[in-house]
Amino acid sequence: MLREEDKETRKKKKKKVFTLLLVVDDENERVLLGEKKTGFGKGFWNGFGGKVEESDPTVLAAALRELEEEACIQALDAKEVGRITFIWIDEPEKPPWLVHIFRADTYSGQERETEEMRPQWFPFDAIPFQQMWADDQHWYPLVLNRQKRKNFEGTFNFKEVTTLVDFELKEVQSLSMQ
Ligand SMILES: Nc1ncnc2c1[nH]c(=O)n2[C@H]1C[C@H](O)[C@@H](COP(=O)(O)OP(=O)(O)OP(=O)(O)O)O1
């Protein structure tokens, strides 16, 4: 288990940066997820996203690129709503991952299965959290229920890749500089 001061040191290490975008249909109270078909997180339902590449001009551009690559649709109003950091407490050499979370309410195109993801709409009250990353159940409500229009930031400590050990999560007015 990491001591509090070790957690703080780890959080400050250079991070590997990712995006994750949720397409939300508020009117019908549903969210578009994809079943990951390959690689890290295979078999889990997740939003659409991936690593920010050097060729991506901005993090938002990376999020839009990943959505198009993975679900064949173009988000029209994506907005960053949260930032979460994943720390691998039993892998000291592995950098923390910083994931920028985006929400989009409108899009163009027709979602299609790709080599990486199988998209499917889920009602807000039937999100398959038992087949998702263990952190998701904690922060998804903050993305789906945006009436308060607050953003959020959190840190989730994992061991053995998928076991969530503990976390902190808070709502914020604006996202911190990283
Ligand atoms: N714990 C957890 N909760 C929610 N979402 C995630 C995690 N861990 C994660 O990795 N993720 C998200 C963050 C990213 O959106 C993806 C992982 O990206 P990945 O598919 O590895 O990145 P790509 O750039 O697409 O990778 P390649 O397949 O091209 O190598 O999951």
XYZ file of all heavy atoms in Angstrom, residues 18-20 36 40 46 49-51 53 66 70 86 97 99 116 133 135-136 139 158, ligand 1:
225
model
N -4.054 10.686 -21.937
C -5.109 9.995 -22.695
C -6.352 10.869 -22.777
O -6.510 11.815 -22.004
C -5.514 8.689 -21.985
C -4.468 7.625 -21.988
C -3.405 7.667 -21.105
C -4.543 6.564 -22.875
C -2.435 6.684 -21.101
C -3.581 5.571 -22.876
C -2.520 5.628 -21.996
N -7.240 10.484 -23.685
C -8.565 11.108 -23.748
C -9.625 10.026 -23.560
O -9.367 8.833 -23.793
C -8.822 11.770 -25.114
O -8.831 10.746 -26.129
C -7.765 12.805 -25.434
N -10.798 10.474 -23.171
C -11.955 9.575 -23.081
C -13.187 10.438 -23.327
O -13.348 11.461 -22.656
C -11.996 8.943 -21.694
C -12.993 7.813 -21.487
C -12.693 6.653 -22.428
C -12.930 7.319 -20.056
N -14.514 -2.693 -25.863
C -13.137 -2.690 -26.388
C -12.794 -4.085 -26.886
O -12.923 -5.069 -26.167
C -12.169 -2.223 -25.297
C -10.794 -1.934 -25.791
C -10.388 -0.508 -25.420
C -9.134 -0.034 -26.119
N -7.936 -0.748 -25.827
N -5.407 -2.936 -24.242
C -5.617 -2.643 -22.826
C -7.114 -2.420 -22.550
O -7.758 -1.640 -23.229
C -4.810 -1.386 -22.464
C -4.668 -1.176 -20.998
C -3.835 -1.991 -20.253
C -5.373 -0.175 -20.355
C -3.699 -1.809 -18.890
C -5.242 0.021 -18.988
C -4.407 -0.802 -18.263
N -16.503 1.034 -22.473
C -15.848 2.290 -22.106
C -16.316 3.383 -23.062
O -16.946 3.101 -24.088
C -14.316 2.119 -22.207
C -13.567 3.059 -21.272
O -14.124 4.041 -20.773
N -12.305 2.767 -21.032
N -11.645 6.691 -26.770
C -10.465 7.505 -26.492
C -9.196 6.717 -26.633
O -9.193 5.562 -27.056
N -8.100 7.364 -26.280
C -6.796 6.712 -26.382
C -5.702 7.704 -26.070
O -5.956 8.790 -25.534
N -4.488 7.316 -26.448
C -3.326 8.155 -26.131
C -3.334 9.436 -26.961
O -3.703 9.403 -28.138
C -2.029 7.406 -26.454
C -1.802 6.203 -25.592
C -0.555 5.465 -26.071
C -0.665 3.978 -25.817
N -1.627 3.245 -26.628
N -1.373 11.735 -29.165
C -0.157 11.560 -29.972
C 0.520 12.917 -30.185
O -0.137 13.960 -30.124
C -0.523 10.984 -31.359
C -1.388 9.743 -31.338
C -0.611 8.484 -30.931
O 0.627 8.564 -30.822
O -1.268 7.453 -30.717
N -9.860 10.113 -31.875
C -10.096 8.764 -31.342
C -11.563 8.356 -31.523
O -11.858 7.204 -31.850
C -9.720 8.704 -29.854
C -8.232 8.735 -29.589
C -7.534 7.387 -29.840
O -8.215 6.372 -30.050
O -6.290 7.359 -29.821
N -12.644 5.127 -33.633
C -13.211 3.980 -32.908
C -14.702 3.772 -33.153
O -15.202 2.651 -33.000
C -12.962 4.140 -31.407
C -11.477 4.077 -31.078
C -11.153 4.150 -29.598
O -12.048 4.519 -28.802
O -10.023 3.845 -29.233
N -4.749 8.011 -13.051
C -4.648 6.626 -12.584
C -3.224 6.382 -12.138
O -2.277 6.689 -12.866
C -5.003 5.640 -13.697
C -6.427 5.781 -14.167
C -6.723 6.069 -15.490
C -7.477 5.652 -13.280
C -8.032 6.220 -15.916
C -8.797 5.805 -13.696
C -9.069 6.088 -15.018
N -1.246 7.861 -15.337
C -1.971 8.208 -16.561
C -2.937 9.336 -16.241
O -3.715 9.228 -15.293
C -2.787 7.005 -17.064
C -1.961 5.893 -17.621
C -0.618 5.715 -17.502
C -2.447 4.781 -18.379
N -0.230 4.569 -18.148
C -1.333 3.978 -18.683
C -3.706 4.389 -18.824
C -1.447 2.799 -19.423
C -3.830 3.214 -19.550
C -2.706 2.439 -19.852
N -6.128 11.186 -17.701
C -7.172 11.020 -18.722
C -8.070 12.254 -18.717
O -8.663 12.600 -17.691
C -8.002 9.740 -18.470
C -9.035 9.555 -19.593
C -7.105 8.510 -18.372
N -11.490 -1.719 -33.320
C -11.181 -1.503 -31.895
C -12.386 -1.581 -30.977
O -12.280 -2.000 -29.831
C -10.557 -0.114 -31.719
C -9.098 -0.043 -32.097
C -8.521 1.319 -31.745
O -8.343 1.593 -30.566
O -8.281 2.098 -32.678
N -14.337 -0.534 -16.152
C -13.304 -0.206 -15.177
C -13.980 0.179 -13.861
O -15.013 0.866 -13.860
C -12.447 0.956 -15.671
C -11.483 0.553 -16.747
C -11.631 0.721 -18.089
C -10.220 -0.089 -16.562
N -10.537 0.222 -18.750
C -9.653 -0.274 -17.842
C -9.502 -0.518 -15.450
C -8.406 -0.877 -18.029
C -8.265 -1.122 -15.630
C -7.731 -1.290 -16.910
N -13.387 2.294 -11.614
C -13.545 3.712 -11.263
C -14.789 4.334 -11.879
O -15.324 5.321 -11.373
C -12.314 4.516 -11.722
C -11.997 4.274 -13.187
O -11.423 3.210 -13.497
O -12.345 5.122 -14.031
N -15.259 3.747 -12.993
C -16.282 4.425 -13.797
C -17.562 4.720 -13.019
O -18.161 5.782 -13.155
C -16.631 3.586 -15.038
C -15.473 3.496 -16.019
O -14.461 4.172 -15.808
O -15.588 2.739 -16.997
N -17.424 8.175 -11.201
C -17.433 9.497 -11.844
C -18.443 9.637 -12.990
O -18.761 10.749 -13.392
C -16.020 9.900 -12.288
C -15.331 8.969 -13.243
C -14.470 7.968 -12.931
C -15.455 8.959 -14.669
N -14.042 7.331 -14.068
C -14.636 7.928 -15.150
C -16.185 9.729 -15.588
C -14.528 7.624 -16.516
C -16.079 9.432 -16.945
C -15.255 8.398 -17.383
N -4.765 2.032 -8.517
C -5.023 0.642 -8.920
C -3.845 -0.251 -8.558
O -2.699 0.194 -8.519
C -5.210 0.560 -10.442
C -6.593 0.912 -10.909
C -6.924 2.224 -11.204
C -7.563 -0.069 -11.067
C -8.200 2.553 -11.643
C -8.841 0.250 -11.503
C -9.158 1.566 -11.793
N -9.582 2.834 -15.335
C -10.069 3.389 -16.456
N -11.286 3.929 -16.417
C -11.779 4.498 -17.518
N -11.125 4.604 -18.696
C -9.915 4.086 -18.734
C -9.324 3.481 -17.641
N -8.097 3.066 -17.996
C -7.937 3.432 -19.289
O -6.937 3.233 -19.998
N -9.034 4.053 -19.708
C -9.263 4.587 -21.051
C -8.352 5.719 -21.419
C -8.292 5.571 -22.899
O -9.442 6.192 -23.456
C -8.408 4.076 -23.129
C -7.066 3.399 -23.262
O -6.446 3.852 -24.417
P -5.807 2.819 -25.490
O -6.904 2.126 -26.168
O -4.789 2.001 -24.815
O -5.126 3.882 -26.401
P -4.936 3.844 -27.964
O -4.171 5.073 -28.313
O -6.254 3.666 -28.647
O -4.049 2.604 -28.057
P -3.656 1.685 -29.255
O -4.702 0.593 -29.247
O -3.692 2.540 -30.481
O -2.299 1.213 -28.859
O -9.081 3.554 -21.999
